[in-house]
Amino acid sequence: MTKAATIIPVTLPTPFDVGPVNCCLLIGDAVTLIDSGPRTAEAREVLQSSLKENRLSIKDLDQYICTHYHPDHAGLSKEIQEAGVDTLMLQEAVPYVSGDSAFLNWTDSFYMDLYRSFGVPDSLGRLELLKLKKYREFLTPFMPDLTPLPGENVRGHEGFVFLQTPGHAPDHLSLYNEREGILIGGDVLLPHISSNALLEPPALHEKERPKTLLQYRQTLQNLLTLNLKTVYPGHGDPFEHAHDLIRKRLKDQNERANTIEKMLTDEPLTVFDMCTRLFPKLYEKQLGLVVSEVSGHLDLLQEEGRVVKAVEEGFIYFRKTGAVQ
Ligand SMILES: [Zn+2]
């Protein structure tokens, strides 16, 4: 007899602006932990005591599944793996979590060059890279033991499959149970904030960066076709009516794209020009998020043929399609 899955959210503190992160214990024929929190003493302690409350220790886990490489979700993965627990992530996570220095250097120079072409002052760009380096320190590098394929069944949890849900992160993975309408969604859909489709580098030695907002919108469209009753998000409380929230997120993106298009009536602008106008209070503190937000919506506008870009002396300028040059 297979046991019905019990889902126990485990909330851990993080030192990040996003606030606490939700991991999840999935208990059925197997005991599975989903996500692990950042590498901090506080998160480690709360994780251990939460397991203990359920009469478990890390060694009792049959497997550990990580939704995506961000350190608030993946930070303690290595410690769990070292306790002998099978560790699963999508193949796309490998360059991010393995500490591959060629890929990390590639990523850093990609951001520096991209920020420059977006008109970001070098001093701000360098500061953002420093923040990224510090952020990475909340994750101990590791190599996943298994890389499941999308659509594959989750071992020990009948009815649950792995779902590829890219956009917020290129390796983003969710667990889905169609019959029960349950999505253990990591950061794919959050109740109180929109998930940022963060800028990501191309794969090593490739040219085209992924259009992460377009990927994310496709993921949201895919989710709209699914039976979704309850979503267990990576931040915030479990929620229902996910389809309404998805439609709101898509609508908000369309509205933001309209706002950006309207800014482009008079003169060609760089991404940084638009960041300072749209987010005058945020752009210095949250440069990475703000640049991702603006350039993602410009990708969308370009895809829809509503803006064009031109490169002049190393800077990328955007203007409205049909505007006088
Ligand atoms: Zn994330």
Side-chain angles (χ1 to χ4, degrees), residues 68 70 73 168 187:
H68 63 297
H70 294 163
H73 296 260
H168 169 67
D187 286 352

Side-chain angles (χ1 to χ4, degrees), residues 15 29 40 64 70 72 91 101 104 169 173 249 255 272 317 322:
D29 290 330
T40 64
Y64 162 67
H70 294 163
D72 50 337
Q91 181 65 36
S101 58
L104 293 179
L173 168 76
R249 294 283 181 258
E255 281 171 6
F272 187 65
Y317 291 93

Side-chain angles (χ1 to χ4, degrees), residues 118 120 260 263 269-284 286-295 298:
F118 281 173
V120 174
I260 291 177
M263 282 173 72
L269 298 174
T270 63
V271 170
F272 187 65
D273 292 331
M274 292 179 249
C275 290
T276 57
R277 293 178 195 194
L278 265 176
F279 301 99
K281 289 193 184 132
L282 261 187
Y283 78 90
E284 277 187 278
Q286 301 272 20
L287 185 74
L289 289 177
V290 165
V291 170
S292 294
E293 181 76 8
V294 171
S295 76
L298 284 164

